[in-house]
Amino acid sequence: MTSAPYYQDDLAWVHHVGYGQLAERAAPGILALLERAEVARGASVLDVGCGSGQLAGALADAGYRVLGVDASPAMVELARSQAPRAQFEIRSLPTGKATSAPGGLPAADAVVSTGHVLNYLDSPEAIAAALRELAGAVRPGGLLALDLMTEGFASAHEHCRGHARVEEDWAIVTRDSRPGPRRLHRQLTVFRRVGDGWRRTDEHHRNVTCEPAEALAVLGASGISAEERPSFGDEPTLGGLVVLVGVRR
Ligand SMILES: C[S@@+](CC[C@H](N)C(=O)[O-])C[C@H]1O[C@@H](n2cnc3c(N)ncnc32)[C@H](O)[C@@H]1O
């Protein structure tokens, strides 16, 4: 886990109201993948890095038993209020624990993750450890589906450098930098209207990129035959994000 907590109250809220549609758009494709893998409604799904619960809510509304886990207490609090049919817990990856051990990931019929969650970990080794934990949580015959940020994504951002958006009661400014290979750092400043004024919060996110071949090798060694896809389903995706989908043998 990182030293400074990511997605504190105001950034969690801004992500929820301004950027949560990415997870919502992934939901139909993930439901189709679950159906194709014959993970029936009523089965358990673990949503890793669930954020404010848009995907978890959509899967729970479709009849799955969903547990969402996320390192951000603010995200988990939002998720509990937004998706009451799902369960949520604070959990930081890699947990360092075996599947179903206290503090570890529980076994599930499917493990899903959107929003390049694993790229928030500190190093390629931590990403590999988390991939092994996700793979280990998938029951035999179950599905794993997740997205990852590659170098292609980070390079594209190198040129655009940042992003700004201003809404009625919030605004966000991000500045990107590449402090080294495999590293995309983002300085995020959020303004949220509070009474007659604006509250400012700053976060510094350190993303580590991961290439699909490396992740597929880790998953393969962990018993998951996976393949790379451009998206979960038909949803539009951000260039340089890849989706890995596999089934436990
Ligand atoms: C870009 S958001 C994606 C949220 C949601 N899945 C979505 O698609 O909208 C990344 C999420 O990963 C979570 N996260 C970051 N590092 C984590 C870690 N080490 N363990 C668990 N969750 C983490 C953050 O708190 C945040 O909710």
Side-chain angles (χ1 to χ4, degrees), residues 145-180:
L146 60 93
D147 63 8
L148 283 176
M149 176 199 289
T150 65
E151 268 298 292
F153 180 94
S155 307
H157 279 67
E158 201 165 18
H159 302 300
C160 72
R161 299 178 73 96
H163 159 85
R165 186 166 158 193
V166 180
E167 300 293 339
E168 181 62 25
D169 54 358
W170 60 270
I172 186 168
V173 180
T174 71
R175 283 87 73 212
D176 297 344
S177 63
R178 300 295 313 274

Side-chain angles (χ1 to χ4, degrees), residues 4-104:
Y6 292 150
Y7 292 94
Q8 297 167 49
D9 288 357
D10 286 350
L11 182 59
W13 186 80
V14 163
H15 187 277
H16 174 68
V17 295
Y19 302 90
Q21 72 279 6
L22 295 172
E24 264 165 23
R25 287 185 198 145
I30 290 176
L31 283 167
L33 290 171
L34 288 166
E35 198 161 319
R36 202 167 320 142
E38 298 182 4
V39 178
R41 313 270 161 142
S44 58
V45 180
L46 177 65
D47 179 5
V48 175
C50 59
S52 58
Q54 280 97 340
L55 174 62
L59 299 180
D61 288 347
Y64 289 99
R65 286 180 293 117
V66 184
L67 172 66
V69 295
D70 198 285
S72 158
M75 283 293 204
V76 167
E77 191 181 329
L78 274 171
R80 286 183 176 139
S81 65
Q82 300 296 325
R85 287 177 203 257
Q87 302 289 310
F88 296 97
E89 288 178 14
I90 300 169
R91 201 68 52 90
S92 186
L93 288 166
T95 66
K97 305 278 174 27
T99 307
S100 300

